[in-house]
Amino acid sequence: YTQGIADFISKIKAFSAEPGTLVAVAGGDGTFNLALNEIVEGANIGLIPIGTANVVAKELGFPKKIRDMFKLLLTGAVQKIDLGLCCEKKFAFVAGIGFDAVVANSVSKKLKTYLGQAAYAVALFKTILSYKPSKLTIECEDGKILEGEFAIFANMRRYGGELYFAPEARYDDGVLNLVLLKKFSFLNLLKLIKYAYGMGEFPQMAVKAEGKKFKVVASEPTYYELDGEVFGPEKSFDIEVKALSQGIITT
């Protein structure tokens, strides 16, 4: 066990700098995100998923039993995956700008412990009553300009649990998949969530795009989340993908 974030970072940097040493972290997607941002460049990584949603583990097909996961760390192969970058911070499966970051920021550890993923549903309904979105202007790499009020940049299919906002996203295709809600409202968000659950069509009040680089400018300082971890607020976001840049032990 580590004694806190500082101890965690110190151990990650020290162990990953040792040639031939595999660093494997036990935790959820947030723990994995922190490890990705502190591991020595070029070092491989392993994951023992014991978090709330375990999106990365599900996407990579990791076994559910801890015993089987330890076996995989010893016998698995190294696979290279894409990583996203947002404001020079790495993310494995998603970067969200706006509403979802505010929701994630309002979920306490105690609530997550008692309710698991349901804690986010509670926070969502609590947040939406008073939430006022920033206007987002997004410049794609081809020069196209998009405008909206809630943006998700996906590197993997899953968003959290069994939500698929960008089911076409892949962690080894060298691009990020943007899902942009043009006008934020409870009804429009509900339609987008229904689509993500596979219960409806992609809403007309949303748009999709894909690319290697994006530039986002917000009308007001806005929070953002990377793999569920909240940062900011910021007004400007440089987002890009680093193709096949991280080695991870998989099946």
Side-chain angles (χ1 to χ4, degrees):
Y1 292 97
T2 53
Q3 303 303 312
I5 291 179
D7 185 37
F8 180 94
I9 292 173
S10 176
K11 285 182 167 60
I12 284 285
K13 289 182 175 179
F15 292 147
S16 63
E18 297 178 5
T21 297
L22 172 67
V23 175
V25 295
D29 295 311
T31 303
F32 187 68
N33 179 272
L34 179 58
L36 287 178
N37 280 281
E38 299 298 340
I39 197 169
V40 171
E41 188 172 353
N44 298 319
I45 194 169
L47 173 63
I48 303 166
I50 54 172
T52 304
N54 298 316
V55 172
V56 174
K58 289 176 181 177
E59 283 290 291
L60 296 175
F62 287 175
K64 295 181 179 180
K65 294 183 179 179
I66 299 298
R67 188 174 199 169
D68 293 336
M69 195 61 235
F70 272 100
K71 183 179 180 181
L72 176 62
L73 292 175
L74 297 172
T75 62
V78 176
Q79 180 178 356
K80 293 287 188 177
I81 65 171
D82 300 341
L83 290 181
L85 279 181
C86 178
C87 299
E88 299 185 347
K89 297 180 180 68
K90 299 175 185 177
F91 63 90
F93 66 91
V94 72
I97 301 177
F99 180 71
D100 64 342
V102 177
V103 170
N105 200 40
S106 69
V107 178
S108 67
K109 292 183 178 179
K110 186 176 181 180
L111 194 63
K112 283 178 66 176
T113 300
Y114 284 109
L115 297 181
Q117 288 182 258
Y120 290 94
V122 174
L124 184 151
F125 285 105
K126 181 181 177 181
T127 302
I128 204 167
L129 295 175
S130 59
Y131 180 69
K132 294 182 179 180
S134 296
K135 304 291 184 182
L136 304 177
T137 302
I138 302 177
E139 181 180 356
C140 303
E141 62 180 334
D142 61 0
K144 186 176 182 180
I145 302 296
L146 301 173
E147 294 185 341
E149 297 181 345
F150 172 40
I152 294 172
F153 296 86
N155 186 45
M156 295 182 177
R157 298 174 304 152
R158 284 177 175 83
Y159 170 86
E162 297 305 315
L163 285 167
Y164 297 80
F165 288 108
E168 63 279 1
R170 296 294 182 270
Y171 53 79
D172 58 1
D173 62 357
V175 297
L176 295 173
N177 293 78
L178 165 65
V179 177
L180 178 65
L181 194 59
K182 293 186 285 187
K183 183 69 176 178
F184 186 91
S185 69
F186 177 74
L187 181 59
N188 289 338
L189 180 64
L190 184 62
K191 290 179 180 179
L192 187 60
I193 291 174
K194 284 181 65 178
Y195 166 78
Y197 271 120
M199 299 169 59
E201 298 295 324
F202 189 73
Q204 292 184 348
M205 195 52 69
V207 63
K208 288 186 176 185
E210 66 175 40
K212 297 179 181 180
K213 290 185 178 182
F214 300 88
K215 175 74 173 183
V216 183
V217 177
S219 60
E220 298 176 5
T222 302
Y223 287 100
Y224 66 104
E225 62 87 9
L226 307 178
D227 300 339
E229 297 299 295
V230 182
F231 304 92
E234 302 285 349
K235 282 198 69 173
S236 180
F237 308 83
D238 289 306
I239 299 172
E240 63 179 304
V241 65
K242 294 294 184 182
L244 305 179
S245 58
Q246 179 61 56
I248 184 170
I249 300 297
T250 62
T251 52

